[in-house]
Amino acid sequence: MKRYTKTIDGKQVIKPANKIVINKDGMNTFNPTEEMILADGWVEYIAPVHEETLEDIRRYKIRDIDNHDKSNEVNEFYINDIPVWLDKNTRTGLKLRFESEKVIGQENTTLWYNNQEFVLLLDNAIQMLYAIEVYASKCYDNTQRHISNVSKLENKEEIEIYDYRSGYPEKLFFNN
């Protein structure tokens, strides 16, 4: 929808056509025609074009890298072909749980994810957590490397074409 601008009481006012009310001879006209709007002193508003700076492009690319790092493209592994992700706090809590269960002599444990129950051998569950931690650390290092690389690039084109999806480790697959 077109927007129009007019200086009213020394201030620039910008409104879409459907928000302009024209008062003429004590009568208010709602939803005036474009001719009425222009006759009332409004002019079509054309927003200034903002040329993106090198820092804008860099900031957008780093935002894309961060979003990729938080996505299922990175934060995912599989148990019995079911996609799962355990954040750092959950992994830390599970490690304590699994090690405690091992100390008291349990052989199996249960992992719940999205109402899905996974019964795991305790030794396998502990090894799985270590593997996930190493995977997550490699992903973190790769993400930080991409951010560092983009921070050092000196022109817009290099930043725009930079492939931040590369270098991540293969996803992990576990079977119980």
Side-chain angles (χ1 to χ4, degrees):
M1 172 173 283
K2 285 185 179 180
R3 294 188 303 166
Y4 296 88
T5 183
K6 180 178 179 180
T7 302
I8 300 174
D9 296 328
K11 290 183 175 178
Q12 181 185 23
V13 177
I14 302 168
K15 290 186 177 184
N18 66 349
K19 298 291 182 184
I20 295 175
V21 177
I22 296 176
N23 185 317
K24 187 174 182 182
D25 301 326
M27 302 284 292
N28 287 332
T29 303
F30 298 91
N31 295 319
T33 64
E34 184 171 29
E35 293 78 24
M36 295 169 81
I37 292 170
L38 296 173
D40 193 49
W42 293 86
V43 295
E44 185 175 349
Y45 175 75
I46 299 172
V49 176
H50 169 72
E51 184 174 333
E52 294 176 331
T53 66
L54 178 65
E55 287 311 310
D56 291 335
I57 303 293
R58 189 184 321 279
R59 187 174 58 253
Y60 300 150
K61 185 62 75 168
I62 290 173
R63 180 199 60 208
D64 292 345
I65 294 168
D66 284 334
N67 287 339
H68 180 72
D69 180 63
K70 294 172 185 161
S71 77
N72 288 350
E73 289 185 53
V74 174
N75 294 333
E76 187 173 74
F77 63 90
Y78 294 87
I79 301 176
N80 298 336
D81 296 323
I82 297 171
V84 176
W85 184 245
L86 305 172
D87 64 34
K88 180 82 167 173
N89 288 337
T90 301
R91 293 192 308 269
T92 301
L94 286 173
K95 183 174 183 259
L96 178 62
R97 173 187 171 176
F98 294 167
E99 289 174 350
S100 298
E101 290 171 342
K102 178 123 177 113
V103 166
I104 65 166
Q106 280 185 219
E107 291 185 16
N108 294 313
T109 190
T110 303
L111 172 66
W112 288 93
Y113 185 79
N114 286 344
N115 298 318
Q116 175 79 35
E117 179 182 27
F118 299 97
V119 178
L120 306 168
L121 288 172
L122 203 42
D123 287 336
N124 292 349
I126 292 168
Q127 288 304 311
M128 181 183 74
L129 284 179
Y130 286 128
I132 295 165
E133 193 60 38
V134 169
Y135 170 85
S137 295
K138 287 180 180 179
C139 290
Y140 173 81
D141 290 344
N142 195 60
T143 296
Q144 294 308 307
R145 191 173 299 109
H146 285 310
I147 291 171
S148 176
N149 291 344
V150 166
S151 296
K152 295 172 187 170
L153 295 175
E154 293 298 326
N155 70 60
K156 293 177 187 180
E157 294 75 24
E158 287 179 320
I159 294 171
E160 288 171 343
I161 65 170
Y162 183 85
D163 180 13
Y164 57 84
R165 289 182 166 86
S166 66
Y168 286 92
E170 293 291 321
K171 291 185 179 181
L172 303 173
F173 289 83
F174 304 98
N175 292 305
N176 65 337

